[in-house]
């Protein structure tokens, strides 16, 4: 489980913990990779690509350590806030450095073939915001098609969790960002309980699909 948020008290971190609990209850062993807590450097460097075209190249020690963790996993779950209809820089950098040429792709038989991927993406947009449909399409295209399936994963699902902000946000027909008053009290508790429920449903559906596949 890969967590990409700089605060341990964030809704993203909370959602990751809840997802881990559900997976453990289903019999999974969790290797929690908190990218910020572990001090992962997202910047690509020459030690990760001493010779880009050589798929047998030796990567940096940090990249190798993360590669081993990915290889040991049957399922990879990434939990992150949506930034500009994409993943945060630290998660993108983790993919750039770790899912490197010769490791994640570039072989006739991908090393990650057959693994499964769940992306849990928290977005501040409200569920009725017209931007959500396009956001979901962009994330599915980039993350499932452009990354997971390209690297040989057998299954990839994007679970988009809207209404993740305490102040409701949406874009009107003229492109103006409308930010509402902060949700408080019982209404706020209900909002976050609903987000928990939707996240749980994504995880449970993902687990059920894997069991059917087995």
């Amino acid at each position: 489980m890969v967590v990409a948020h700089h605060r341990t008290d964030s809704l993203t971190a909370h959602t990751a913990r809840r997802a881990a609990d559900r997976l453990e209850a289903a019999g999974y062993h969790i290797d929690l990779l908190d990218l910020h807590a572990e001090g992962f450097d997202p910047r690509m460097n020459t030690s990760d690509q001493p010779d880009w075209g050589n798929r047998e190249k030796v990567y940096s020690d940090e990249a190798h350590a993360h590669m081993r963790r990915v290889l040991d996993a049957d399922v990879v779950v990434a939990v992150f806030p949506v930034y500009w209809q994409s993943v945060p820089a630290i998660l993108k950098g983790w993919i750039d450095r770790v899912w490197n040429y010769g490791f994640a792709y570039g072989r006739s038989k991908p090393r990650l073939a057959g693994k499964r991927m769940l992306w849990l993406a928290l977005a501040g947009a409200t569920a009725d915001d017209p931007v959500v449909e396009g956001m979901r399409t962009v994330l599915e295209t980039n993350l499932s098609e452009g990354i997971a399936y390209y690297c040989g994963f057998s299954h990839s699902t994007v679970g988009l969790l809207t209404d993740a902000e305490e102040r409701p946000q949406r874009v009107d027909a003229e492109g103006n960002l409308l930010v509402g008053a902060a949700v408080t009290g019982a209404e706020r508790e209900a909002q976050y309980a609903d987000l928990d429920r939707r996240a749980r449903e994504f995880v449970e559906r993902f687990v059920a699909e894997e069991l059917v596949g087995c």
Side-chain angles (χ1 to χ4, degrees):
M1 178 163 290
V2 186
V3 183
H5 201 288
H6 48 284
R7 295 198 313 272
T8 58
D9 62 348
S10 65
L11 187 58
T12 299
H14 166 83
T15 300
R17 289 191 293 268
R18 287 294 183 90
D21 289 344
R22 300 301 302 175
L23 289 167
E24 286 183 328
Y28 289 84
H29 170 74
I30 304 297
D31 174 13
L32 179 61
L33 170 53
D34 185 326
L35 293 172
H36 282 278
E38 295 196 16
F40 181 78
D41 185 350
R43 297 171 299 176
M44 179 63 79
N45 57 75
T46 54
S47 63
D48 289 326
Q49 291 188 339
D51 178 2
W52 184 89
N54 175 16
R55 66 183 185 184
E56 306 299 336
K57 61 183 173 293
V58 177
Y59 308 93
S60 67
D61 290 343
E62 184 178 31
H64 266 298
H66 284 262
M67 289 173 181
R68 286 192 295 270
R69 293 170 77 169
V70 174
L71 284 175
D72 287 343
D74 297 316
V75 170
V76 179
V77 180
V79 189
F80 58 94
V82 177
Y83 290 170
W84 300 110
Q85 300 205 28
S86 186
V87 299
I90 195 167
L91 180 55
K92 177 60 166 59
W94 181 73
I95 294 168
D96 289 346
R97 290 188 62 202
V98 178
W99 299 35
N100 209 319
Y101 175 76
F103 170 68
Y105 68 100
R107 295 178 177 273
S108 57
K109 183 178 180 181
R111 288 176 172 172
L112 306 184
K115 296 182 185 295
R116 295 167 58 82
M117 185 88 203
L118 174 61
W119 312 83
L120 288 178
L122 284 77
T126 56
D128 62 349
D129 191 329
V131 77
V132 169
E133 182 178 353
M135 182 186 301
R136 183 178 290 107
T137 299
V138 168
L139 291 172
E140 282 283 2
T141 300
N142 288 345
L143 303 181
S144 290
E145 297 180 21
I147 298 175
Y149 292 141
Y150 186 76
C151 294
F153 277 67
S154 62
H155 183 76
S156 176
T157 295
V158 175
L160 180 58
L161 299 165
T162 58
D163 300 282
E165 293 285 351
E166 64 179 15
R167 292 179 179 272
Q169 303 176 12
R170 69 186 312 277
V171 177
D172 66 15
E174 286 72 43
N176 301 307
L177 176 63
L178 307 178
V179 180
V183 178
T184 60
E187 186 179 358
R188 180 177 181 180
E189 293 298 321
Q191 174 185 334
Y192 291 148
D194 182 65
L195 189 142
D196 271 349
R197 176 190 58 78
R198 288 181 282 130
R200 183 178 66 252
E201 288 177 352
F202 277 123
V203 172
E204 291 177 346
R205 189 177 307 123
F206 184 81
V207 169
E209 290 170 350
E210 180 170 35
L211 292 175
V212 170
C214 292

